[in-house]
Amino acid sequence: MERGYHKWFSKILDRDMELLAFGHSGEPVIFFPTRGARFYDFENWKVIEAMREKIEAGKLQVFCVDSIDNESFYSDALPEARILRHGQYESYILKEVIPFIRKQNSDKRLVSAGCSLGGYHAVNIAFRHPKLFTKVVGMSARYDLTISLPFFDDLFDGYFNDTIYYNMPTRFIAMLSDKRIVRQIKKLEIILVIGLEDSFLENNRQLSNALTNLKIPHAYYEWQEEAHRSRYWRQMVQLYL
């Protein structure tokens, strides 16, 4: 399996950023890491190994990006600064990572995928910029970071503004009225996966219901148990990527 390490200084984020690319051709996948994880963790957890057959066959090329969650959602900065830093991270993906992928891979498709907080990143960016993506897979994710749950806090400490609203898929999809954007999202292949004992189960059901109310086709799967560990994600990527 072809493996490439890449690092450059991001002018948008004002820091070095790293990623790993697996494969030589096929459907390109931006794979977002879990909360506080790094670009190499999916490899360490054997999640990439679970996709080896498709990667070696040239069906998938997976780009494992790094995160800056500890500088945004999980930082000590003021809530408004947290969401602004997240916005810079989104710009980094849009203006640096995607152009990099396009230079590496001529396939016109583009998948956004992730697990846990990475699933949030994957779904949020795809729903906000649906014209750029053809498929999105969210696994074991929470799609509203403002809600408080057992062991999971409101990441904005009760603070709320329009920027936060438009970065919480459960919220903005439920109220989406722009028919043009709805048509764009309808073109996405959407897959949401959650465990029946996962703290984020109800939030996933809310997002699925919001999509259904807008007649947006999507696949929604509930797995047994919590299904919020790498051993489950290794199975999920084989089925859904």
Side-chain angles (χ1 to χ4, degrees):
M1 178 167 51
E2 189 172 315
R3 178 186 186 275
Y5 167 77
H6 303 274
K7 176 181 178 180
W8 66 83
F9 182 81
S10 167
K11 293 183 179 179
I12 294 172
L13 296 175
D14 194 31
R15 54 166 287 180
D16 288 332
M17 293 296 290
E18 301 165 277
L19 63 80
L20 284 172
F22 297 92
H24 58 280
S25 65
E27 190 174 35
V29 179
I30 300 177
F31 207 177
F32 292 92
T34 64
R35 169 187 166 185
R38 300 298 308 279
F39 65 99
Y40 47 74
D41 282 315
F42 284 130
E43 181 181 34
N44 291 346
W45 298 337
K46 308 299 182 183
V47 176
I48 296 300
E49 181 65 26
M51 294 183 279
R52 173 181 286 274
E53 185 175 339
K54 290 181 180 179
I55 292 172
E56 289 186 339
K59 295 179 179 179
L60 287 180
Q61 187 173 25
V62 182
F63 296 84
C64 292
V65 295
D66 218 345
S67 76
I68 61 163
D69 297 326
N70 292 331
E71 298 176 18
S72 57
F73 300 134
Y74 287 92
S75 76
D76 293 328
L78 293 173
E80 53 265 47
R82 294 175 208 165
I83 195 64
L84 289 176
R85 186 60 170 164
H86 167 70
Q88 292 173 333
Y89 179 69
E90 181 184 85
S91 294
Y92 156 73
I93 298 295
L94 297 174
K95 298 179 181 180
E96 296 186 28
V97 173
I98 291 179
F100 170 79
I101 290 173
R102 293 307 186 197
K103 289 180 181 179
Q104 305 289 316
N105 187 316
S106 61
D107 195 304
K108 294 182 180 180
R109 297 171 294 176
L110 184 60
V111 181
S112 179
C115 306
S116 194
L117 189 59
Y120 156 81
H121 284 297
V123 168
N124 188 53
I125 197 169
F127 284 1
R128 282 168 51 81
H129 305 278
K131 292 181 69 175
L132 298 178
F133 297 91
T134 52
K135 179 178 177 178
V136 57
V137 182
M139 296 166 274
S140 309
R142 168 168 57 149
Y143 303 110
D144 185 351
L145 308 182
T146 70
I147 58 176
S148 294
L149 297 166
F151 310 110
F152 296 95
D153 296 330
D154 170 1
L155 298 187
F156 301 98
D157 305 324
Y159 179 82
F160 196 77
N161 63 16
D162 284 349
T163 306
I164 293 173
Y165 173 84
Y166 285 110
N167 278 278
M168 301 299 125
T170 312
R171 289 180 178 264
F172 73 76
I173 290 294
M175 301 300 292
L176 188 59
S177 59
D178 189 319
K179 294 182 179 179
R180 176 182 59 85
I181 297 176
V182 171
R183 286 196 299 270
Q184 291 173 0
I185 295 176
K186 282 183 176 180
K187 295 179 181 179
L188 286 171
E189 180 183 354
I190 302 168
I191 300 175
L192 305 176
V193 194
I194 193 70
L196 283 169
E197 297 175 14
D198 197 304
S199 297
F200 306 149
L201 174 63
E202 186 56 37
N203 188 235
N204 275 254
R205 288 175 173 174
Q206 289 171 354
L207 180 55
S208 178
N209 289 337
L211 292 168
T212 298
N213 290 339
L214 289 171
K215 295 181 173 57
I216 295 175
H218 65 287
Y220 173 67
Y221 302 102
E222 293 182 353
W223 280 42
Q224 295 298 314
E225 305 176 354
E226 187 187 29
H228 201 125
R229 296 289 186 274
S230 58
R231 65 187 178 95
Y232 293 100
W233 298 330
R234 287 194 289 268
Q235 298 174 55
M236 290 177 185
V237 296
Q238 290 179 324
L239 292 170
Y240 308 127
L241 283 178

